[in-house]
């Protein structure tokens, strides 16, 4: 009798599952990108609070990564996805509670300014939503890789899903902007409650849809089963090096545009309306990530993950080096966007162009690293996925280190940290991604019985 739960191959029979994973990929970006526009509202009340909600999203990865992988092994992909959506709905409700409770109750002060209880409630909601995003990532990445059968096809599906992730990330701020309108010092979280209810409805609808969709369970998971193996993902050198690579990659992806905003906003640069201009220029970076992922999804069936990671890492190093060494006096016209002026062309240092072009490179790195790092893991893939999600915290740690370097040694000098991280990814593509632990069994026949 054939085993219908064996590792799936992409094809017509798995089309529904693939579309479902693509949808969840978009959900991940939708939840993550809610933090920034809502953060602008809180920044009107507390100057230092703009990015704290975003940080809470990333911080949740550190705590939930491994537990999410454990859930995947124990309960399977579908139940873990449903649990993630339920957690996300709870996180949105908690954020909504911040609009109706504690607005007049001070809990502590920052610089002599009282901080109200409702802000702490919002941060708790953002943290819970971070759990949701981590769990969804843990499901989506290995599932798409498995549905594609690993290798080039697996990476192709990851890049296609990543394209929808980027598209949702590009559209969410515009959607939020239409609903919220102009943010002033008097705008409160209560003024955007309709946005939170829409987000809650999306989670509920997603939960219902996923509940009726059949998702392959390649590991033959059954609820409540206890699986014990003689090894773990940490036994594979290429996986361990890939985990480090993911930590650095997310730091690169977030740090390049993040510090670019600080650089362009610096009054010493002399740019008119530098803050608004910087945000518009950085948005082009995310748009190019969408272009890069679409391109990668088209070629990944023919070009290996190793080659893609090798080329993009090398090109990104060259681009960042050009940004570091070319004078700020060399200017170029670049497209920008602001709510007040719409799309326009602005004269900015050519450094910005080179850094924005890095979006084409970073766009393909996540899928390539993940694909290479889980190749040949078999039954250990789900646990590895949880470990990878934990390392997304690098998006909070490394940009903070880069910003610290920038404030003390100059914004462009901080990009030497990015160069070092890109050099590691180039090493991983060339050498570190090779599986040198092929003697470790990765099939269920090697499973160790539970102790009596």
């Amino acid at each position: 009798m054939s085993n219908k739960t064996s590792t799936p191959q992409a094809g017509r029979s798995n089309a529904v599952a693939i579309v479902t994973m693509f949808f969840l990929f978009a959900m991940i970006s939708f939840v993550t990108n809610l933090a920034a526009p809502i953060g602008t509202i809180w920044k009107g009340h507390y100057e230092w609070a703009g990015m704290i909600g975003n940080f809470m999203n990333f911080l949740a990865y550190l705590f939930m990564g491994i537990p999410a992988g454990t859930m995947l092994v124990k309960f399977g992909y579908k139940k873990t996805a449903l649990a993630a959506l339920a957690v996300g709905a709870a996180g949105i409700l908690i954020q909504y509670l911040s609009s109706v409770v504690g607005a007049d109750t001070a809990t502590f002060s920052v610089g002599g300014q009282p901080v109200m209880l409702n802000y702490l409630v919002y941060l708790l909601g953002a943290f819970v939503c971070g759990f949701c995003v981590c769990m969804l990532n843990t499901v989506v990445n290995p599932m798409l890789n498995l549905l594609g059968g690993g290798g080039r096809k697996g990476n192709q599906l990851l890049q296609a899903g990543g394209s929808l992730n980027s598209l949702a990330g590009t559209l969410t701020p515009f959607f939020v902007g239409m609903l919220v309108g102009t943010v002033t010092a008097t705008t409160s979280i209560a003024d955007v409650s309709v946005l939170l209810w829409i987000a809650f409805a999306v989670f509920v609808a997603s939960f219902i849809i996923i509940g009726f969709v059949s998702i392959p369970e390649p590991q033959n998971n059954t609820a409540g089963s206890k699986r014990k193996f003689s090894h773990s993902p940490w036994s594979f050198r290429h996986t361990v090096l890939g985990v480090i690579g993911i930590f650095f990659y997310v730091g690169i992806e977030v740090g390049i545009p993040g510090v670019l905003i600080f650089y362009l906003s610096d009054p010493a640069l002399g740019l008119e309306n530098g803050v608004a201009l910087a945000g518009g220029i950085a948005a082009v970076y995310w748009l190019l990530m969408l272009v890069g992922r679409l391109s990668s999804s088209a070629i990944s069936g023919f070009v290996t993950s190793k080659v893609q990671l090798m080329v993009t890492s090398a090109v990104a190093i060259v681009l960042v080096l050009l940004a570091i060494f070319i004078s700020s006096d060399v200017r170029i016209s670049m497209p920008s966007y602001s709510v007040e002026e719409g799309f326009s062309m602005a004269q900015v240092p050519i450094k910005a162009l080179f850094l924005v072009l890095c979006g084409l490179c970073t766009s393909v790195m996540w899928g390539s690293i993940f694909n290479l790092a889980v190749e040949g893991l078999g039954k250990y893939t789900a646990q590895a996925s949880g470990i990878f999600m934990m390392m997304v915290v690098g998006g909070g740690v490394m940009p903070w280190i880069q910003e610290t370097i920038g404030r003390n040694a100059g914004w462009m000098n901080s990009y030497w940290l990015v160069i070092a991280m890109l050099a590691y990814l180039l090493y991983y593509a060339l050498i570190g991604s090779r599986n040198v632990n092929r003697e470790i069994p990765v099939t269920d026949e090697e499973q160790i019985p539970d102790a009596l």
Side-chain angles (χ1 to χ4, degrees), residues 353-406:
L353 173 64
F354 293 127
L355 293 175
V356 163
L357 287 174
C358 287
L360 291 170
C361 300
T362 57
S363 62
V364 307
M365 290 179 178
W366 171 278
S368 297
I369 297 170
F370 187 91
N371 182 259
L372 290 169
V374 302
E375 192 71 22
L377 287 193
K379 64 189 177 185
Y380 299 107
T381 300
Q383 292 174 320
S385 180
I387 296 171
F388 278 113
M389 294 311 109
M390 184 178 69
M391 289 297 101
V392 173
V393 73
V397 175
M398 299 311 294
W400 175 76
I401 295 175
Q402 186 183 352
E403 180 192 357
T404 302
I405 295 173

Side-chain angles (χ1 to χ4, degrees), residues 10 21 32 65-66 87 93 103 111 180-181 214 218-219 227 254 262 274 305 309 314 407 419-420 430 440 448:
M21 292 302 110
T32 302
I66 290 179
V87 169
L93 284 179
V180 176
S214 176
Q219 293 177 296
R227 315 181 76 213
V254 176
F262 294 135
S305 300
L309 183 59
R407 283 189 283 103
I419 292 287
L430 292 171
I440 299 177
I448 298 175

Side-chain angles (χ1 to χ4, degrees), residues 5-335:
T5 56
S6 57
T7 303
Q9 300 295 317
R12 185 175 300 173
S13 61
N14 289 319
V16 174
I18 292 173
V19 171
T20 302
M21 292 302 110
F22 283 176
F23 175 74
L24 291 180
F25 233 139
M27 280 288 296
I28 290 168
S29 184
F30 173 71
V31 177
T32 302
N33 284 281
L34 281 178
I38 292 179
T40 61
I41 295 173
W42 288 111
K43 192 174 186 298
H45 299 272
Y46 314 113
E47 184 179 356
W48 44 268
M51 290 299 291
I52 303 298
N54 187 69
F55 175 76
M56 294 300 287
N57 277 159
F58 277 108
L59 184 63
Y61 280 88
L62 182 62
F63 293 93
M64 196 61 197
I66 290 179
T70 302
M71 288 179 64
L72 204 58
V73 172
K74 187 174 182 179
F75 300 112
Y77 288 81
K78 181 172 181 175
K79 290 183 178 179
T80 303
L82 290 173
L85 293 170
V87 169
I92 293 295
L93 284 179
I94 294 173
Q95 291 187 56
Y96 171 74
L97 287 177
S98 70
S99 68
V100 296
V101 300
D104 300 318
T105 306
T107 55
F108 63 96
S109 64
V110 175
Q113 181 183 16
V115 178
M116 302 304 171
L117 175 62
N118 63 337
Y119 183 61
L120 296 184
V121 174
Y122 161 73
L123 291 182
L124 175 62
F127 188 61
V128 173
C129 281
F131 283 162
C132 160
V133 177
C134 178
M135 294 165 70
L136 288 178
N137 258 314
T138 306
V139 170
V140 169
N141 286 278
M143 189 75 255
L144 280 178
N145 192 54
L146 288 164
L147 286 167
R152 299 180 185 181
K153 188 65 176 178
N155 186 42
Q156 187 174 35
L157 288 182
L158 282 170
Q159 298 299 349
S163 299
L164 291 180
N165 183 276
S166 294
L167 179 61
T170 303
L171 295 179
T172 298
F174 288 100
F175 173 68
V176 174
M178 287 188 295
L179 288 176
V180 176
T182 303
V183 176
T184 67
T186 61
T187 304
S188 70
I189 191 70
D191 296 322
V192 296
S193 58
V194 62
L195 171 64
L196 297 176
W197 281 117
I198 290 174
F200 179 77
V202 170
F203 275 110
V204 172
S206 301
F207 186 93
I208 295 173
I209 293 171
I210 301 299
F212 285 100
V213 171
S214 176
I215 298 178
E217 299 290 349
Q219 293 177 296
N220 252 344
N221 292 328
T222 56
S225 64
K226 296 181 179 179
R227 315 181 76 213
K228 296 182 180 179
F229 306 118
S230 59
H231 297 83
S232 76
W234 297 110
S235 304
F236 297 83
R237 191 195 72 166
H238 73 293
T239 302
V240 174
L241 295 178
V243 167
I244 299 172
I246 285 290
F247 182 85
F248 284 156
Y249 159 71
V250 185
I252 293 168
E253 179 192 285
V254 176
I256 288 178
V259 172
L260 174 60
I261 290 176
F262 294 135
Y263 167 70
L264 293 176
S265 302
D266 192 335
L269 201 59
L271 296 180
E272 184 179 353
N273 199 17
V275 176
L277 176 66
I281 296 295
V284 179
Y285 170 90
W286 298 107
L287 182 61
L288 289 180
M289 283 196 68
L290 171 60
V291 174
R293 282 173 171 166
L294 286 172
S295 302
S296 178
S297 66
I299 68 171
S300 289
F302 312 97
V303 182
T304 65
S305 300
K306 180 175 182 176
V307 170
Q308 289 190 52
L309 183 59
M310 178 179 63
V311 171
T312 54
S313 298
V315 171
I317 288 174
V318 173
L319 290 172
V320 177
L321 283 174
L322 287 172
I324 291 174
F325 285 110
I326 293 182
S327 172
S328 296
D329 295 330
V330 181
R331 303 291 172 105
I332 191 173
S333 292
M334 286 188 64

